[in-house]
Amino acid sequence: MFHILWYILIGLCSGFLAKSVMHEHLTMFWTIVLGIVGSLLGGGISHMIFRSKNERYHPAGLIFSTLGAILILFICFKLKIHLP
């Protein structure tokens, strides 16, 4: 149960940082969703670069989550996809 709350908290922080950097206006729900998806994307990229010892997939921390969320917002901006 605690890991779900941790995902939401990290998602909120990384989504807020990403939307602040990209100057986007999103609701609180979409900010959390953006952060969680950014965490999964950042975790996948960091897993490809830095292999873990137990070879299990893990979501990224705050830095890679924020970078993943910024990447998602950048791709949406280039493809002219408007998030609610």
Side-chain angles (χ1 to χ4, degrees):
M1 179 70 177
F2 183 71
H3 65 281
I4 295 173
L5 295 174
W6 185 249
Y7 286 158
I8 291 172
L9 180 67
I10 292 295
L12 178 65
C13 293
S14 64
F16 179 76
L17 289 172
K19 77 176 191 175
S20 296
V21 168
M22 297 296 289
H23 302 291
E24 288 288 326
H25 300 285
L26 300 173
T27 63
M28 183 74 71
F29 173 76
W30 286 107
T31 302
I32 293 172
V33 169
L34 174 69
I36 291 172
V37 172
S39 177
L40 293 174
L41 179 68
I45 292 171
S46 68
H47 185 70
M48 285 187 266
I49 296 171
F50 310 111
R51 286 285 183 185
S52 62
K53 291 179 175 62
N54 58 4
E55 294 295 323
R56 291 179 50 198
Y57 178 77
H58 59 86
L62 186 61
I63 294 172
F64 277 106
S65 297
T66 304
L67 291 176
I70 289 172
L71 180 65
I72 290 169
L73 283 178
F74 180 75
I75 290 171
C76 288
F77 176 74
K78 287 297 183 182
L79 295 177
K80 296 182 182 0
I81 298 171
H82 179 68
L83 296 174

